[in-house]
Amino acid sequence: MKSGFANSGKQMFRCKECKKRFVVDRGQLTFYSHHDQSKWNELILDTLNGVSLKETAAKINVNERNVFNMRHKLLISLKTEEHPK
């Protein structure tokens, strides 16, 4: 059952048995991410347009190392989609 939203803006759910709250996004690009969808959208556009990590980090107000990790996750997901195992 629905149980509000996480700080990242993702829909939270509550288990009827154990009462724990969780987010269903396994297998998605945003899995285990604390950043909202708008930051991911901006990162995707910047990556496709060849914008530097430093510029993207400043634009979405995220640490440059985190932007690197987000971009790396994006590129791996694109590679996986192109060549599924």
Side-chain angles (χ1 to χ4, degrees), residues 16-65:
K16 290 180 181 179
E17 292 180 19
C18 70
K19 307 296 184 208
K20 288 188 179 182
R21 293 176 70 206
F22 59 95
V23 175
V24 180
D25 64 353
R26 182 175 281 288
Q28 296 181 13
L29 185 59
T30 58
F31 176 66
Y32 208 71
S33 173
H34 298 276
H35 303 293
D36 61 32
Q37 188 65 47
S38 65
K39 290 184 180 189
W40 276 98
N41 293 342
E42 195 66 41
L43 175 110
I44 292 167
L45 289 174
D46 282 1
T47 300
L48 295 175
N49 291 321
V51 177
S52 73
L53 291 172
K54 192 173 195 170
E55 289 177 71
T56 301
K59 189 186 297 184
I60 65 174
N61 196 28
V62 173
N63 179 287
E64 197 172 331
R65 181 65 188 177

